[in-house]
Amino acid sequence: MQINLSGHHIDITDSMRSYVETKLSKLERHFDSINSAQVILNVEKLNQIAEAKLHLSGGEVFANSQDTDMYAAIDSLVDKLDRQVIKHKEKLKQS
């Protein structure tokens, strides 16, 4: 899976990049046909915002999350994406 990580009003550190890559790699155990992921980390005053769009075979999945801590926002984002990826996989099985 190719991961495109960008930041708005935030510098992406190596530890943050590796954290995002580790978390997103866990999504592949549920659905191995994830082509690419575009992740945007954003800071607005006290809110840390993480949003991502996954390009899957047969569609796209989008989610975003807010928290006061960026790592907590990334965790919440991956949980949301995980649920959506599983739901997408179930839809493909039914077709």
Side-chain angles (χ1 to χ4, degrees), residues 12-50:
I12 305 297
T13 61
D14 291 336
S15 63
M16 201 176 291
R17 181 177 302 277
S18 65
Y19 189 77
V20 169
E21 290 172 356
T22 303
K23 288 293 186 175
L24 287 179
S25 67
K26 293 181 182 179
L27 294 176
E28 289 185 313
R29 66 179 172 206
H30 291 292
F31 191 65
D32 56 356
S33 298
I34 300 173
N35 299 327
S36 65
Q38 183 174 1
V39 181
I40 300 172
L41 305 179
N42 193 357
V43 175
E44 293 180 0
K45 295 190 180 182
L46 298 176
N47 289 331
Q48 312 285 324
I49 302 168

Side-chain angles (χ1 to χ4, degrees), residues 2-90:
Q2 177 187 355
I3 299 174
N4 182 9
L5 181 62
S6 62
H8 292 231
H9 308 291
I10 187 172
D11 292 328
I12 305 297
T13 61
D14 291 336
S15 63
M16 201 176 291
R17 181 177 302 277
S18 65
Y19 189 77
V20 169
E21 290 172 356
T22 303
K23 288 293 186 175
L24 287 179
S25 67
K26 293 181 182 179
L27 294 176
E28 289 185 313
R29 66 179 172 206
H30 291 292
F31 191 65
D32 56 356
S33 298
I34 300 173
N35 299 327
S36 65
Q38 183 174 1
V39 181
I40 300 172
L41 305 179
N42 193 357
V43 175
E44 293 180 0
K45 295 190 180 182
L46 298 176
N47 289 331
Q48 312 285 324
I49 302 168
E51 56 186 44
K53 183 189 293 186
L54 297 180
H55 300 280
L56 311 170
S57 60
E60 289 183 347
V61 173
F62 176 81
N64 63 350
S65 177
Q66 287 187 9
D67 203 288
T68 55
D69 179 40
M70 183 58 80
Y71 290 98
I74 293 168
D75 287 341
S76 175
L77 172 74
V78 171
D79 289 343
K80 290 179 182 181
L81 288 171
D82 194 34
R83 287 192 298 269
Q84 289 185 24
V85 165
I86 291 170
K87 193 173 183 180
H88 178 77
K89 184 177 176 181
E90 293 299 319

